Amino acid sequence: MTGPGGCDWDRLREAAREAMTRAYAPYSGYPVGAAALVDDGRTVTGCNVENASYGLGLCAECGLVSQLLNTGGGRLTHFTCVDGRGELLVPCGRCRQLLYEFGGPGLLLQTPAGVLPLAEMLPQAFGPEHLTT
Ligand code: THU
């Protein structure tokens, strides 16, 4: 069913849950799955991938943006993220910045406080536009 922002959020969250089942999180015991819609209708997903060298762990959003580029690029329009129980999770600060690069301020995020644009989750963001002279 279509919800806020013209998105079937239940379906997108299901894709995030499925990705979460493939997470590699033996150190934190905290699997994460992320899913997003692309402006051409594709769905891209990612899961977190940890490492014995703890600081090298990759968030689920890293895998998601990698899949975005590796399957044709485009812009992210809708995003959701879940924990190991399948409950909504808000992306960490670093991942908000990752998402900003490929979705910009208008990217819609499903959060416990409702569907919000990334502009509200990462106010006054630094982005590619600041590097143009
Ligand atoms: N994690 C993500 O994958 N995405 C986030 O936005 C928050 C945190 C992962 C990183 C680590 O593998 C685990 O959750 C616990 O912090």
Side-chain angles (χ1 to χ4, degrees), residues 42-77:
R42 273 156 46 233
T43 299
V44 289
T45 61
C47 58
N48 56 336
V49 180
E50 298 183 348
N51 193 281
S53 179
Y54 296 166
L56 299 186
L58 302 175
C59 283
E61 292 85 342
C62 299
L64 182 147
V65 299
S66 179
Q67 188 179 108
L68 170 73
L69 295 171
N70 203 22
T71 58
R75 300 290 292 171
L76 301 174
T77 59

Side-chain angles (χ1 to χ4, degrees), residues 25 28 30 32 47-50 58-61 81 89-92 95:
S28 69
Y30 194 83
V32 176
C47 58
N48 56 336
V49 180
E50 298 183 348
L58 302 175
C59 283
E61 292 85 342
C81 191
L89 172 73
V90 287
C92 73
C95 289

